[in-house]
Amino acid sequence: MSRAGWAFALGFCRRDLGEAQARAVSLAVAAAVALTVAATVVALAVPDVATEVRLRRMAAQPWTRCVWVQPLSSLDPKFTPERLVALEASARARLPAADPGLAVVGFHAVSLDVFDLNRDATGLSPYGRTVAAGDPLLPALPGLVRGGGGWNPAAPAGLLLCPRYLTRLGGDPDAPPAAVRLRAPASKRPIAWPVAGVLKEPLPLGHVFLIGAADYEALRAADGGDPSTDAESEPLPAGWPATWDDFPAPLRKAVREDGVEASVRPTLAGRALHLADRDRSPRTAADWEAKFRAVAAARPTGPALKWSPQGVTRLPPPPPLGPPEWATVYVTRPADLRHAAEAARDADLYANDANRLLVEEVEAAARSARRVVAALVAAFCVAGSVSLTLALYLRGRQKAAQYGMLKALGATDATLRTLAVTEAAALWLAGASLGLAGAAALGASTLAALGVGWDVLGAALAGDWPPLVAGFLALSLVACVVGNAVATRWVRRRPAAESLGLTS
Amino acid sequence: MSAFTAVGLSHTYPGAAVKALDRLTLTVPAGQVTAILGPSGCGKSTLLALLGLLWDGPGPTGRLTYHGADRDHDLLALDTNSRAALRGDAFGFVLQSNYLLPHFTCLQNVAMPLALQGWPARVREAWARRLLAAPGVDPHGDLAARADAMPRAVSLGQRQRFAVLRALAADPDVVFADEPSSNLDPRNTTAMFELLALWRGGDLFPAAAADFAADRATPAKLRPWLAAHAGPRRPRTLVLVCHDAELAERHADAPSVCLSTPGGGA
């Protein structure tokens, strides 16, 4: 086609597109293109954007962008500071790009016997974990606690409980107790420990509470007495009863009500009074001494009762805490979790990479979604192309007389074909521009509703989205142009005499 | 000298049982007005469509020759592009309906044949205005006043006269007029035939073509065309299709072609 032909076509279609006779169909064609483009552009972006949003949400929470590691055997060395540094170096070498957020921090998995809030019986020995100073989890915790709680990352004190566990204890997550009663790790003595808050979500690894590492050390040291679960007197002097049943009934009743079981037992030196806590809860030496004094006071006649601290059965002191048996490898990008897990495995460690599997699930879901969306878009495009061709055919029929007159004035088939192509391209351009603007508006409002920034589109732009959209736009242009060429073929091939009513 | 020669020309529309034209033999003299007469359905418009190359479907048989200025054209054997070229260069059409394009001004409609020949918009619209301003073209001044209006804004008679001007804009050798005055009042009918007479007289274009050729702003590619049309008088043929014998007698200066029954024997 010559330049003059194109110039004629451009000049003609500039006026022709708004022509009243075919305006409704022209608008319908442009609207169909706009809707198809908008829907397709948005649909094609959804898998990439949704994946990026999910990965960003994972990246925002320290415990969804980390791998937990521990030695394969309890005989293997634990995480000394040197081992943590070596593991961090190994992970850094594995990552494909520098990651300033890479950190390896140890923690202890600990068990505490916590009393039910409503009853004395326990029966629960839940596991939780410590969080040490310098752990990236620490500064993030206020955001993970309901209502912010009373958790101070700078000086963490008290327990953070999972809501379901608190419910199991008989508490209300929305109105947590100020403290829970638990057994001191050293003395096993019941003590109260403050509750700093209730977490919004369950903790990973099945933990149900979280405690600052320094706070846990304080908890271990909180019971500084001389505890034991039972005590024994010196041999009973002559004149004392031979059995506990021979002691005065009021005394026996008072001792029983105090939770103590008493008995007279034979020893190498003679019969001695034995007192034991009925629940095997440790009591301090002072507590036992008061009990013996009460027994002696209840029997004022006879020689005085002597008792010795050596008669107290002592509990072994708690072992030193030592290096942590768990470590957390944090990365900035969830996609790097697989490298962190590989680094741990290289170091003969067990890696709990639930988060890595989650990333793979997200990516697999994105791939599936892309395939589904591509199939839907393809079907939509086929339907759209057919509708478009029909609309353009209708438009062509409406303009048959005009085409006939142009033929009478000397327009060649090539000129009319160029005209059809130009008009289809112009309709497509108008519709595609509207569609892209609509897609941008729809995308912006959706991202705003999700609270996600525009930069999330960077992931889509870096992925398959641009070529897919470009390919679709090119295909839709071809469909529009070819559709119009096909649609106008009838009117172009129709003898001008018929179009102009000379054959009736 | 003849413009068209038909020998044994027959035509049957696809699917029709009856021939629209049956072994028609005729001669249309060049430079004259030839009327094609006959009742409705006798094949007048079909003959015009065949002569004017407006039928490019199957059906016509026989021989139909156009004797152009430079050579003869076998109209039933021309390829598509040659037919389009001949329609654009040598033929003009005035039909019962004006078929002005509704989204172009009347002036732009007049210049439409030149647009199809690649004339720049500025030159072709200047040419159309010059045509409107030529003596005798617009005796009442109403066309010039409405030239920039859209067709829907002018009267039916004015539209038809603009359509005549469109047919004449490229100075064709033959103009086919199919019942051109059937929708017009006497005043517009007279004005229209005067316009056609002015074209046939050959005084409409030479001066304008010479002026445009002399204008330095005129693109070089148009100069050969302008030179050809600024030259000596050429025979200009009008083929007038009508059913009104009186009208034919008034305007035709060659023997009329009378078609009768469906099947159209001359």
Side-chain angles (χ1 to χ4, degrees), chain B residues 139-201:
Chain B
H140 311 297
D142 56 335
L143 295 188
R146 309 295 292 153
D148 293 316
M150 303 307 276
R152 65 176 175 277
V154 304
S155 73
L156 199 61
Q158 288 169 333
R159 274 183 239 170
Q160 187 69 335
R161 284 158 62 203
F162 278 120
V164 173
L165 279 174
R166 178 181 60 189
L168 303 181
D171 192 14
D173 293 327
V174 182
V175 168
F176 298 94
D178 182 21
E179 312 271 11
S181 59
S182 59
N183 296 325
L184 299 183
D185 58 27
R187 179 168 173 263
N188 277 308
T189 302
T190 305
M192 184 188 70
F193 278 108
E194 284 176 358
L195 192 52
L196 288 168
L198 205 59
W199 160 71
R200 287 194 55 246

Side-chain angles (χ1 to χ4, degrees), chain A residues 4-5 7-8 11-21 399 401-416 423 492-504, chain B residues 13-14 41 45-46 48-49 53-57 80-81 84-85 87-89 91-93 95 98-105 108-109 112-113 115-119 124 150 166-167 178 221:
Chain A
F8 169 77
F12 191 91
C13 86
R14 196 159 55 89
R15 287 178 165 273
D16 190 43
L17 289 179
E19 191 255 310
Q21 190 183 3
K399 300 176 78 67
Q402 293 180 19
Y403 272 69
M405 192 66 234
L406 287 175
K407 282 180 84 168
L409 294 177
T412 62
D413 187 57
T415 302
L416 298 178
E423 290 199 337
R492 284 188 283 114
R493 297 289 167 89
R494 191 184 193 208
E498 273 188 8
S499 300
L500 297 172
L502 295 179
T503 58
S504 56
Chain B
Y13 287 111
S45 296
T46 300
L48 181 141
L53 296 173
L54 296 180
W55 179 263
D56 38 15
T80 308
N81 286 337
R87 280 196 303 265
D89 293 341
F91 297 168
F93 298 90
L95 305 176
N98 56 74
Y99 292 114
L100 293 183
L101 298 173
H103 42 297
F104 289 87
T105 65
Q108 288 167 336
N109 267 286
M112 193 57 68
L116 283 164
Q117 291 183 18
W119 286 40
R124 64 179 185 250
M150 303 307 276
R166 178 181 60 189
D178 182 21
K221 65 179 181 182

Side-chain angles (χ1 to χ4, degrees), chain A residues 208-397:
Chain A
V208 296
F209 68 86
L210 193 145
I211 186 169
D215 199 37
Y216 183 61
E217 291 290 1
L219 175 60
R220 282 165 57 85
D223 184 12
D226 190 11
S228 66
T229 58
D230 53 4
E232 201 167 78
S233 71
E234 293 288 316
L236 294 172
W240 279 68
T243 65
W244 176 247
D245 291 341
D246 297 332
F247 277 72
L251 173 65
R252 282 186 282 133
K253 183 182 177 189
V255 168
R256 189 168 54 249
E257 287 177 351
D258 197 27
V260 173
E261 287 180 350
S263 61
V264 175
R265 294 181 179 179
T267 66
L268 290 175
R271 288 175 295 114
L273 180 62
H274 187 96
L275 301 180
D277 186 277
R278 192 163 49 237
D279 294 334
R280 307 303 294 168
S281 295
R283 299 184 181 216
T284 62
D287 187 44
W288 288 125
E289 184 175 356
K291 292 280 175 295
F292 280 116
R293 283 186 193 284
V295 171
R299 195 182 184 289
T301 58
L305 177 67
K306 292 182 180 177
W307 77 286
S308 166
Q310 282 76 24
V312 173
T313 306
R314 295 173 185 283
L315 294 174
L321 200 52
E325 70 278 16
W326 281 89
T328 312
V329 183
Y330 293 99
V331 294
T332 303
R333 297 174 294 270
D336 286 339
L337 287 173
R338 71 193 60 163
H339 305 296
E342 286 164 3
R345 292 193 182 105
D346 286 350
D348 287 334
L349 294 167
Y350 160 76
N352 182 317
D353 47 2
N355 287 332
R356 179 185 68 81
L357 295 175
L358 193 58
V359 171
E360 288 181 358
E361 278 178 23
V362 168
E363 290 173 347
R367 283 193 294 275
S368 302
R370 272 190 216 105
R371 280 194 288 271
V372 171
V373 166
L376 287 176
V377 164
F380 187 52
C381 286
V382 169
S385 299
V386 172
S387 308
L388 204 62
T389 304
L390 287 175
L392 290 166
Y393 177 71
L394 182 62
R395 188 173 184 277
R397 286 197 78 117

